[in-house]
Amino acid sequence: MQVPILDLKAQYAAVRNEAMQAISEVCESQSFALGPAVAEFEEKIAAYCDSKHAIGVSSGTDALLVSLMASEIKPGDEVITTPFTFFATAGCIARLGAKPVFVDVEIDSYNIDAGLIEEKITEKTRAIIPVHLFGQIAQMKVITEIAQRHNLAVIEDAAQAIGASQDGIKCGNFGDCGCFSFYPTKNLSGFGDGGLVTTNTESLAERIRILRDHGQNPRYFYKAIGGNFRLDSVQAAVLAVKLRYLDGWNEKRRQNAALYDSIFANSPVRAPEIGANNVSIYHQYTVTVPERDQLQKFLAENQISSAIFYPKPLHLQDCFKELGYKRGDLPVAERLCSEVLSLPVYPELSPDQIEYVARTALEFYGIN
Ligand SMILES: *Cc1c(COP(=O)(O)O)cnc(C)c1O
């Protein structure tokens, strides 16, 4: 049985007619940049996220960048984040001339260890970017309390967590801003790049709207130095269609994860742990095993695709050499990079496929 890590064609088949109709309407309007399609999508997604404001932007990366710009992060400032995340989280900090300060992660949740944040705060610290990795929200109660005590901005990197909640609150509502990505592999994805910033602070929403369009307000009068961070109307139209399916897809991912969990219980394959107060959207179903590379090879020999998110922590990347980190500085993140393996969990998988993947993984350990 062949099991890919993701099958976007299966999702496309379910939305093809509606998506094509929506794209066609945008084409008929010939309004391609920040037109009515973007405004309509922003309204719908703000409601979905339980946020007062939603601002469509060009990518998840630009959502982070424009949120940091709106929070007035400047050269020399320090921003605390996790080393176990996609590059963009820290890349955006460095692109503004600020310094990423990496804090190690929790072995169970893979998210930033909130208990280690306070010791890294200096007089230069301006913000914290927690990442809700693989669809599970970081410990936001502790993180926002620390931020309040030290007067720091909190920008949630929710690129992998749209629809996830903690204590009944959806991500993007804990910090000052929530940053989302609609990259094709994300739980809610466009037909290309796209992103979103959510906020409940009116002044921040206004600043981000201005910054995403070069800083102009009104047209050709520049209040600030922004960029072209606009969301395409075509993407907004597709995303508005797919948004109606998102809860159903996320629920299917949870069911797939529950089936994996039940098969991996009391086995050498350590299943992802979801906190009792968290509802995950399982952007990835990521297990940890010391024999990761051999397991991945064994799965591949059995036609099962898997993926490694991420093979190298950010504090040890060549581009951050000047920050002066060395191997051993953030041991949990370093260990996870050699032990994590993400298994197929996308909504269209059949229970038979999940069972086949899980049984094959156990077969690697001689369990059947
Ligand atoms: C995908 C992702 C991003 C970047 O989003 P793009 O839309 O690809 O620019 C940022 N952070 C995390 C954690 C991501 O997974």
Side-chain angles (χ1 to χ4, degrees), residues 196-242:
L196 185 83
V197 182
T198 59
T199 180
N200 292 308
T201 308
E202 174 98 46
S203 57
L204 263 179
E206 197 191 321
R207 218 175 310 157
I208 291 166
R209 278 185 197 285
I210 292 170
L211 286 170
R212 83 167 158 184
D213 202 15
H214 298 289
Q216 62 182 345
N217 183 39
R219 198 167 206 184
Y220 304 128
F221 292 84
Y222 300 90
K223 282 238 166 40
I225 301 169
N228 175 357
F229 307 133
R230 296 183 300 256
L231 177 65
D232 276 348
S233 307
V234 165
Q235 298 305 335
V238 169
L239 289 162
V241 168
K242 286 200 185 184

Side-chain angles (χ1 to χ4, degrees), residues 59-61 64 85-86 88-89 131 157 159-160 181 183 186 194 310:
S59 68
T61 303
L64 288 162
T85 176
F86 179 63
T89 316
V131 179
D157 183 340
Q160 301 187 4
S181 165
Y183 182 75
K186 299 286 157 77
Y310 296 92

Side-chain angles (χ1 to χ4, degrees), residues 167-358:
D167 297 313
I169 297 167
K170 278 188 173 164
C171 62
N173 291 298
F174 297 95
D176 300 278
C177 302
C179 300
F180 297 85
S181 165
F182 305 125
Y183 182 75
T185 61
K186 299 286 157 77
N187 287 41
L188 176 63
S189 64
F191 291 174
D193 281 300
L196 185 83
V197 182
T198 59
T199 180
N200 292 308
T201 308
E202 174 98 46
S203 57
L204 263 179
E206 197 191 321
R207 218 175 310 157
I208 291 166
R209 278 185 197 285
I210 292 170
L211 286 170
R212 83 167 158 184
D213 202 15
H214 298 289
Q216 62 182 345
N217 183 39
R219 198 167 206 184
Y220 304 128
F221 292 84
Y222 300 90
K223 282 238 166 40
I225 301 169
N228 175 357
F229 307 133
R230 296 183 300 256
L231 177 65
D232 276 348
S233 307
V234 165
Q235 298 305 335
V238 169
L239 289 162
V241 168
K242 286 200 185 184
L243 180 60
R244 298 198 285 270
Y245 295 82
L246 180 60
D247 279 340
W249 288 334
N250 284 346
E251 188 52 41
K252 281 296 308 272
R253 285 172 181 267
R254 274 191 291 273
Q255 286 170 12
N256 293 344
L259 184 50
Y260 275 130
D261 284 348
S262 68
I263 300 172
F264 290 143
N266 307 311
S267 86
V269 179
R270 203 166 69 82
E273 288 182 36
I274 306 303
N277 61 344
N278 266 332
V279 177
S280 174
I281 59 154
Y282 287 98
H283 173 61
Q284 300 294 343
Y285 184 89
T286 305
V287 302
T288 52
V289 289
E291 311 76 9
R292 192 265 315 278
D293 293 341
Q294 296 96 298
L295 175 60
Q296 184 173 39
K297 189 163 165 279
F298 185 75
L299 293 175
E301 285 162 5
N302 288 280
Q303 277 74 55
I304 297 165
S305 301
S306 59
I308 298 170
F309 305 116
Y310 296 92
K312 190 172 189 175
L314 295 185
H315 67 287
L316 299 179
Q317 296 287 348
D318 289 348
C319 67
F320 292 133
K321 218 178 283 175
E322 311 89 274
L323 295 176
Y325 289 91
K326 55 188 188 314
R327 193 162 285 284
D329 283 346
L330 303 169
V332 180
E334 291 166 28
R335 178 178 154 193
L336 286 174
C337 286
S338 66
E339 295 191 350
V340 286
L341 190 64
S342 296
L343 303 178
V345 74
Y346 62 91
E348 296 81 7
L349 284 165
S350 70
D352 281 354
Q353 286 177 300
I354 303 273
E355 288 219 16
Y356 173 67
V357 174

